[in-house]
Amino acid sequence: GDRMTWRPVRQEDEMLTRFKAKDFSRMTYLINKPPRWNEQVGAYVLNFNGRVTMASVKNFQLVTPEEPDRIVLQFGRVGKDLF
């Protein structure tokens, strides 16, 4: 996981062009982890393992399509105006 500076010289090297061609080499492709239905709550939920304390439509988790159970990044509400 080294950082990389992206300075394309040609259009075919631009991120959007490579993304549309599904060429993810030298990129990390992340998707939103879909929530699961919880019968007890009667809503869709994500498991933040206690790190998020408040429900919010802004809460999300990012995963790779190849490893949907390995959370790469998560963002969630922990207070009235704190995320």
Side-chain angles (χ1 to χ4, degrees):
D2 293 331
R3 293 182 192 174
M4 186 176 158
T5 302
W6 198 299
R7 291 190 183 123
V9 178
R10 303 172 306 191
Q11 183 175 358
E12 57 265 20
D13 293 330
E14 292 177 358
M15 273 191 213
L16 184 57
T17 303
R18 291 184 54 201
F19 181 82
K20 287 179 179 179
K22 298 191 184 326
D23 176 10
F24 304 125
S25 58
R26 299 183 306 149
M27 285 196 270
T28 301
Y29 176 57
L30 302 173
I31 60 171
N32 283 328
K33 182 174 183 171
R36 296 198 174 157
W37 182 257
N38 183 314
E39 287 291 338
Q40 293 175 329
V41 179
Y44 287 97
V45 298
L46 290 168
N47 183 0
F48 286 90
N49 295 311
R51 295 187 62 115
V52 173
T53 56
M54 298 183 75
S56 172
V57 297
K58 296 177 183 175
N59 294 352
F60 68 89
Q61 294 174 325
L62 295 179
V63 298
T64 61
E66 299 79 27
E67 294 182 86
D69 293 326
R70 182 179 160 261
I71 299 164
V72 177
L73 180 139
Q74 61 185 13
F75 180 88
R77 176 171 266 169
V78 293
K80 183 176 183 283
D81 294 318
L82 296 172
F83 287 88

